[in-house]
Amino acid sequence: MLSLSRRPDAAVSVTLHRPDALPPKLHRAWADAAAAQGAALPYCGPDYVGAVLAAYHADPATRVLAAWRGDTLAGLLPLVARGHRRLGLPLREMGLPRNPNTINSDPLAGPPGPARSEVLAALLRAGFAAGAETLMLDHLPAGLGSAFADAAATLGAGTDPVTPSRHLHYARLDGGWDGYLATRSGNHRWQIRKALKGAGALQVQRLDRRAALRDALDDWFAVEARSWQGTAGAGAAMTAADRGFHRSLVETLPDAALGELWLVRDATGRALAALRMLAGPRGRSVHTMHFDAAARAAAPGLLAFAAMMRAAAEDALPEVDFHGRTAFFERWATGARAHESLRIYRPGPKGALARHGRLVLRRLVTR
């Protein structure tokens, strides 16, 4: 089994790959590295990232950069093309892949130390060698933005300041369901118990088999179309690319990451809420959540979420990652993980000019 390198004395080399032609060796090493490091799986694993790239970044410029120490994967950076201008200059920017449901990234470069710094510098050097003039790295786990900035400095590359990104809520379930409820406010406990006991004719379904998820996709998408997101139009509603992406995950995620789909149905069998969960080493993760806006009074979304949380506790999972930050999630959360972002400029006159222009504009705006 290939794993993260523990040999800082070995030289780092970087290979570039098209995402639709990853060698099996790299796919295995990527999956093993993400699992060994306890990264935010499945979001940082090859199957999820591959589905994101296929659905949203099917561009000839898209590349996966893999850093190696011998035959051992030491770090990884998927890069996609982005448009960017500074002072009227067109810059070829590349950055980490993203979509509406992907808001964290991890280069899988191991723990802090000289070995990680060497790997990050090698990945940046390869990104610039591939033609990037700026590199935008979004939603890195806390501390990695500064680590990339330090690595960039060794190459003579300038950076924008590291900026805070989203804090993603999660809930620890170490004390089981009763222990978790004891951490909630009295009002929240009352709302949870009311939802679980007052479902009336509503039926909660938990689907965790691939065939069952596949068969229920149309019900999920129908709920989304009737949700506040689906009726809000462009920017909030699912697109054809989104639906294709979700279908792809059902087909391609390994069993350990497939997760489950929770549906709430009324007495006629019509789905009123849909909660899609993915799975990883830390527990389960919220991927999407929708409810029929016309059924708001029945609180089907709350019912689905409460049933999911109770099941996670009864399954002895240590954690549920909410993978987002909303007022709803905040009520359920026991903590939040910080993320950060930064832009790195290619060493040389053009990169320096672009960075200087950004600094000037920021000063003018903040006067």
Side-chain angles (χ1 to χ4, degrees):
M1 177 183 293
L2 294 165
S3 62
L4 285 173
S5 176
R6 294 292 184 266
R7 293 183 54 211
D9 57 317
V12 177
S13 61
V14 178
T15 56
L16 276 67
H17 306 270
R18 288 182 57 85
D20 57 354
L22 291 185
K25 170 186 172 181
L26 175 54
H27 189 280
R28 291 193 302 270
W30 187 351
D32 291 342
Q37 195 164 322
L41 286 172
Y43 302 105
C44 297
D47 300 292
Y48 186 93
V49 174
V52 170
L53 295 177
Y56 302 99
H57 302 290
D59 184 287
T62 299
R63 291 291 183 271
V64 174
L65 281 57
W68 304 87
R69 294 188 189 274
D71 288 332
T72 303
L73 185 67
L76 189 135
L77 201 62
L79 292 176
V80 304
R82 298 186 182 183
H84 185 55
R85 297 180 71 88
R86 281 291 175 265
L87 295 180
L89 293 174
L91 297 175
R92 187 184 182 201
E93 177 160 282
M94 300 189 76
L96 294 170
R98 57 184 179 179
N99 80 331
N101 305 114
T102 304
I103 47 179
N104 55 50
S105 305
D106 196 317
L108 307 177
R116 184 175 76 174
S117 298
E118 183 184 10
V119 169
L120 298 183
L123 289 169
L124 293 178
R125 188 182 298 111
F128 291 127
E133 293 175 316
T134 60
L135 292 170
M136 185 64 207
L137 307 180
D138 319 89
H139 306 306
L140 298 165
L144 271 167
S146 297
F148 266 112
D150 291 342
T154 68
L155 305 179
T159 71
D160 288 342
V162 176
T163 57
S165 180
R166 297 186 70 178
H167 283 62
L168 305 182
H169 284 122
Y170 65 89
R172 295 292 302 180
L173 300 174
D174 307 276
W177 181 238
D178 290 337
Y180 171 73
L181 284 181
T183 69
R184 304 298 89 195
S185 69
N187 178 264
H188 192 200
R189 290 197 300 271
W190 174 79
Q191 287 189 350
I192 294 170
R193 292 190 176 106
K194 179 182 177 183
L196 292 173
K197 293 179 180 178
L202 299 182
Q203 177 189 7
V204 180
Q205 280 187 303
R206 179 186 184 182
L207 308 175
D208 57 5
R209 301 290 183 182
R210 199 176 301 273
L213 265 68
R214 185 186 299 123
D215 291 344
L217 283 171
D218 288 341
D219 284 335
W220 167 17
F221 297 156
V223 171
E224 187 277 335
R226 300 192 305 273
S227 69
W228 71 262
Q229 298 100 317
T231 57
M238 274 193 194
T239 64
D242 295 329
R243 288 185 285 273
F245 169 65
H246 292 304
R247 290 185 187 278
S248 175
L249 290 183
V250 170
E251 301 301 329
T252 61
L253 285 179
D255 291 343
L258 181 62
E260 56 201 18
L261 174 65
W262 292 80
L263 293 173
V264 176
R265 298 184 185 274
D266 65 14
T268 71
R270 179 183 173 93
L272 301 181
L275 173 61
R276 179 72 171 103
M277 305 293 297
L278 301 181
R282 286 199 294 249
R284 297 193 186 104
S285 173
V286 176
H287 198 216
T288 68
M289 181 177 176
H290 301 95
F291 65 88
D292 188 329
R296 180 186 295 270
L302 175 61
L303 177 59
F305 202 85
M308 176 277 296
M309 289 290 290
R310 182 173 183 174
E314 291 173 349
D315 290 345
L317 297 180
E319 178 182 305
V320 173
D321 180 0
F322 300 154
H323 197 227
R325 183 174 187 175
T326 66
F328 178 84
F329 288 153
E330 188 171 5
R331 295 206 69 192
W332 294 83
T334 62
R337 292 188 178 90
H339 294 75
E340 54 195 27
S341 303
L342 84 160
R343 176 176 281 111
I344 304 174
Y345 297 84
R346 183 175 186 160
K350 190 174 182 180
L353 179 61
R355 178 170 174 266
H356 178 71
R358 183 175 176 84
L359 290 173
V360 170
L361 288 174
R362 182 183 293 116
R363 289 170 185 155
L364 291 174
V365 170
T366 56
R367 276 184 177 179

